[in-house]
Amino acid sequence: MDKIRKILKGTPISDGVVFGQARVILPGDIDVVEIVIPASQVKDEIEALEKAIEVSIVELRKLRSSASKEIEGPVAKIFDAQLLIASDYEFLEKVKKEIKLQKRNAGYIYNKLVKSTTDPLKNSPDAYMRQMVIDIEAVSKRVLSHLGGYEHCDLKFPPNTILVGKMFTPGDILNFRQQKAIGFLVSEGGKNSHMALIARALMLPAVVVKNSFLEINNYSRLILDGTSGEVIINPTDEDWSEYQKLKKRQGPALVTRIKKLTTIPPLTADGKAVNVGANLSFSGPVDNILVEKKIPVGLYRTEFIYLSNYQFPEEDMQFEYYSEIAEKFADSYVVLRTFDLGYDKLAVNNHWPQEDNPALGWRGMRAMLDMVNIFKAQIRAILRASTHRNLKIMLPMVSDVSELIKAKKLIAQVKFQLRKKNIPFDENIQIGIMIEVPSAVLTIDTFLDKVDFISIGTNDLTQYTLASDRMNNRVANLFSVFHPSVLKLILMTVEACKKHNKPVSICGEVAGDLLALPLFIGMEIDLLSMNPVRIFDLCRMVKKIDSSIAKMLLASVMKSDTQQQVLNKLRAYKMELEKRKSINRRK
């Protein structure tokens, strides 16, 4: 067996670090033998088909129920799509008709008609159609398995198994998790595939690497980093040791360690509070821990309601969802970002056209201001759910003050309509914007008298400042929030907010970066909102930092000419903190 160490670089689709043993699972396409049947057997074949579909529907309902208990919200309803496919009466009648006409076995006819439906859609530019193909094939394999001869073997995995394959369905993810699988390496799929949504909701690390199953042997040792997208095949003992240390600092287990934190918000060495919040996309296991520690949600990405089936949900469905969130976090608050779609979350369909440069195209508030009815429906749902008085509205990708003015007019119209109907809502609900483009920073003063708060989205701000596509590995070396230009834009925004007495938060990935932490303490950021897995380490680091020293470090860093100079200063400070920790231990 090949034991050569190899590193694969892929696309991370679900955060976390795991290390264990690979298990390659490649079910492939099912080839069903064509069998000519006598007329007397047609009835039996049709009955077998109906029974197989009935059993499949029962299984899918169980999966949906299981997902609802563990995940909640719209992501669990991914299984509704597969239930609709399995229950498609017209398709079933078509299959029955062809069995009677062609006098062929049910499995062959069913499989043939499924392929005639899916084959033309596999290369569609429409993400919704590509996802539908995956769902149809998942259902068809389930039905065919019950028609006989294709029963799935009862897979048993040893502890710390990382599953490798072309693609796994949401049902696979749930089933394999129950068998203690700890992570997934696949060759197909994206960040917004149903597989990725379920994996993230269950906090199971996952990475996409094209043809990865060809590189890996069963039972090979494997390290999978769902945060960076790096996969190490046959790691050395040194790799293994390093990742064991990293695993203790990252991943789902770290979230549970939040319970051990005694002081929230954490205090600096000189007693200054540093408020922390969580970035969420779904309801999931982490919610209860955040609620228990009264950690607010600084960014709730509502677009994942759309991405769960590539359809905008009805107002009442959104109202129920936002109400559940508001009730759950009753002792803190939740910042609901309105639909932020386009670019990396693009679905080319009747809502989203194909664009040559989507990163600079129709996304965020630009799209919502053109889709007025959809925007107003979401605002109505949020306002109706705001009676708990702990919801805030955040508008994404605002590049010009005129966009904010238009959005606020639409919000005012919705409020007026609700008052006319005597529907209660929070009259004082706060409205803020995300600062993600340089134009918004350079004209920040024009926004501040029209908003209640500001949140800095450092991922996009970095991308647009450095003209470096954050999804493009070829320019990944250029993408860094530590570039002096990006830091200057962040500081400009913070200083303007302080001048106008408006709260300002950081909600990009760097909010949880320990290297950047002293800079944000020095800037006196009001809230650092991050991936929940980073909260524990950040809170521990806060208490080691003196805010007055952080201010001096900030002043020094802002005089830097290059990204490397910035990093050198921050790393030197971090090493000094760690050195002090070692001295204290010896004492």
Side-chain angles (χ1 to χ4, degrees):
M1 187 180 292
D2 186 5
K3 292 286 186 181
I4 298 173
R5 177 183 183 271
K6 189 168 186 178
I7 296 179
L8 305 179
K9 185 65 179 176
T11 302
I13 60 173
S14 183
D15 282 350
V17 175
V18 287
F19 53 98
Q21 190 179 68
R23 179 69 181 273
V24 182
I25 299 178
L26 295 173
D29 292 328
I30 294 178
D31 273 331
V32 185
V33 177
E34 179 182 5
I35 302 173
V36 179
I37 59 172
S40 60
Q41 197 179 319
V42 167
K43 183 180 177 183
D44 292 338
E45 287 295 307
I46 289 174
E47 287 178 355
L49 174 65
E50 290 173 337
K51 180 65 176 175
I53 289 173
E54 183 183 329
V55 172
S56 297
I57 289 172
V58 170
E59 289 176 345
L60 287 168
R61 283 175 178 159
K62 286 180 180 177
L63 283 170
R64 182 179 62 180
S65 176
S66 175
S68 297
K69 289 175 184 175
E70 296 193 59
I71 304 170
E72 304 176 7
V75 177
K77 295 183 180 179
I78 284 171
F79 292 98
D80 288 345
Q82 293 191 13
L83 274 166
L84 285 172
I85 292 165
S87 307
D88 188 337
Y89 175 79
E90 289 184 8
F91 183 76
L92 178 59
E93 289 302 304
K94 188 176 178 181
V95 175
K96 290 180 183 179
K97 182 180 178 181
E98 289 301 310
I99 292 172
K100 293 175 184 175
L101 286 173
Q102 297 187 37
K103 303 292 191 298
R104 298 294 189 273
N105 54 310
Y108 173 76
I109 297 296
Y110 182 85
N111 194 44
K112 182 180 177 183
L113 291 182
V114 165
K115 286 190 172 185
S116 69
T117 301
T118 58
D119 284 350
L121 303 177
K122 285 185 176 180
N123 296 317
S124 170
D126 186 338
Y128 172 72
M129 300 310 295
R130 294 197 304 273
Q131 181 59 55
M132 182 179 286
V133 169
I134 294 169
D135 287 333
I136 291 171
E137 289 181 340
V139 171
S140 69
K141 287 175 184 177
R142 188 177 292 275
V143 171
L144 289 169
S145 74
H146 292 301
L147 274 170
Y150 306 99
E151 292 295 335
H152 296 295
C153 58
D154 187 14
L155 297 170
K156 299 292 182 184
F157 305 133
N160 299 320
T161 294
I162 298 171
L163 293 177
V164 181
K166 287 185 178 180
M167 166 73 78
F168 297 113
T169 68
D172 291 335
I173 300 290
L174 276 171
N175 286 331
F176 293 152
R177 176 179 180 267
Q178 290 168 2
Q179 295 179 63
K180 310 303 181 187
I182 59 171
F184 298 88
L185 175 60
V186 295
S187 299
E188 300 173 8
K191 286 188 175 183
N192 301 316
S193 65
H194 286 177
M195 171 190 63
L197 296 178
I198 291 289
R200 286 202 294 274
L202 295 172
M203 295 192 294
L204 292 168
V207 174
V208 178
V209 179
K210 189 174 181 180
N211 294 329
S212 54
F213 59 91
L214 298 175
E215 306 269 359
I216 298 169
N217 294 316
N218 263 325
Y219 313 117
S220 300
R221 286 210 307 179
L222 206 63
I223 293 174
L224 183 145
D225 189 338
T227 304
S228 70
E230 187 170 275
V231 178
I232 305 178
I233 307 168
N234 297 318
T236 63
D237 289 341
E238 186 179 346
D239 291 329
W240 199 262
S241 176
E242 284 301 309
Y243 269 89
Q244 280 184 319
K245 293 174 186 175
L246 186 61
K247 183 179 171 70
K248 291 177 183 178
R249 303 196 301 269
Q250 293 186 17
L254 184 57
V255 178
T256 61
R257 293 167 68 190
I258 296 174
K259 291 182 178 181
K260 297 179 182 178
L261 295 170
T262 54
T263 306
I264 298 284
L267 303 176
T268 61
D270 54 334
K272 304 282 186 181
V274 177
N275 294 309
V276 296
N279 294 344
L280 296 180
S281 302
F282 323 95
S283 292
V286 69
D287 293 5
N288 293 333
I289 299 170
L290 298 174
V291 167
E292 180 184 328
K293 304 305 286 188
K294 296 183 180 179
I295 296 173
V297 180
L299 169 62
Y300 206 108
R301 304 178 182 95
T302 64
E303 59 269 15
F304 284 91
I305 306 175
Y306 168 86
L307 291 167
S308 63
N309 62 6
Y310 291 104
Q311 290 182 355
F312 288 106
E314 296 294 327
E315 179 187 326
D316 286 343
M317 180 269 180
Q318 290 189 66
F319 163 66
E320 290 175 11
Y321 186 54
Y322 303 144
S323 294
E324 288 174 9
I325 294 170
E327 190 172 341
K328 184 179 287 186
F329 290 92
D331 292 331
S332 53
Y333 64 85
V334 180
V335 178
L336 294 173
R337 182 176 70 185
T338 58
F339 295 137
D340 184 15
L341 291 160
Y343 179 46
D344 57 327
K345 295 182 284 286
L346 188 67
V348 181
N349 55 26
N350 58 319
H351 294 133
W352 304 99
Q354 181 71 51
E355 294 181 285
D356 291 334
N357 195 342
L360 299 178
W362 201 53
R363 57 173 303 202
M365 280 310 299
R366 299 170 182 179
M368 288 300 102
L369 290 175
D370 287 340
M371 303 167 76
V372 172
N373 290 337
I374 288 170
F375 179 66
K376 286 175 115 177
Q378 183 178 31
I379 294 299
R380 268 195 303 273
I382 293 173
L383 288 173
R384 288 169 57 196
S386 69
T387 51
H388 290 279
R389 302 187 184 282
N390 65 335
L391 295 182
K392 301 181 184 185
I393 297 172
M394 183 157 68
L395 308 174
M397 189 65 187
V398 176
S399 57
D400 183 84
V401 72
S402 63
E403 294 169 335
L404 172 61
I405 293 169
K406 288 176 187 175
K408 289 193 72 175
K409 281 183 180 177
L410 294 174
I411 294 171
Q413 290 172 16
V414 173
K415 286 183 175 181
F416 178 74
Q417 292 165 357
L418 292 176
R419 289 189 201 102
K420 279 184 69 176
K421 295 179 180 179
N422 293 317
I423 297 174
F425 63 92
D426 181 3
E427 288 278 2
N428 298 311
I429 191 168
Q430 291 191 10
I431 298 171
I433 60 171
M434 284 189 77
I435 296 293
E436 300 174 89
V437 292
S439 64
V441 178
L442 296 172
T443 57
I444 186 71
D445 289 324
T446 65
F447 291 96
L448 288 171
D449 64 340
K450 299 174 180 64
V451 295
D452 298 298
F453 64 92
I454 292 287
S455 188
I456 304 173
T458 52
N459 300 344
D460 272 331
L461 183 60
T462 302
Q463 166 175 256
Y464 293 126
T465 301
L466 299 175
S468 171
D469 184 348
R470 61 190 177 99
M471 305 294 287
N472 187 338
N473 287 334
R474 291 183 177 180
V475 292
N477 62 311
L478 301 175
F479 182 90
S480 174
V481 73
F482 295 108
H483 192 282
S485 61
V486 181
L487 294 177
K488 284 176 183 176
L489 290 175
I490 293 172
L491 186 58
M492 282 175 62
T493 305
V494 174
E495 288 176 340
C497 289
K498 297 295 179 186
K499 180 182 172 184
H500 289 79
N501 293 315
K502 294 295 167 82
V504 58
S505 66
I506 301 279
C507 65
E509 287 299 308
V510 77
D513 191 315
L514 299 185
L515 210 57
L517 177 59
L519 293 182
F520 296 146
I521 290 176
M523 291 181 190
E524 298 183 354
I525 300 289
D526 295 297
L527 178 77
L528 297 175
S529 190
M530 66 202 73
N531 186 321
V533 301
R534 299 187 175 182
I535 291 175
F536 179 78
D537 276 348
L538 184 125
C539 288
R540 288 201 310 173
M541 181 64 81
V542 165
K543 63 184 181 181
K544 302 173 188 174
I545 298 173
D546 186 297
S547 65
S548 60
I549 295 175
K551 285 182 182 297
M552 289 189 283
L553 176 64
L554 172 65
S556 173
V557 165
M558 297 311 295
K559 294 175 183 176
S560 302
D561 296 325
T562 66
Q563 172 187 321
Q564 194 57 53
Q565 288 177 10
V566 171
L567 291 172
N568 289 343
K569 291 174 183 178
L570 293 177
R571 285 168 181 160
Y573 177 70
K574 190 167 183 278
M575 283 178 63
E576 183 63 30
L577 287 179
E578 290 170 352
K579 197 181 296 181
R580 287 181 205 165
K581 181 180 175 183
S582 299
I583 293 170
N584 291 336
R585 276 180 179 168
R586 287 198 294 272
K587 286 180 178 178

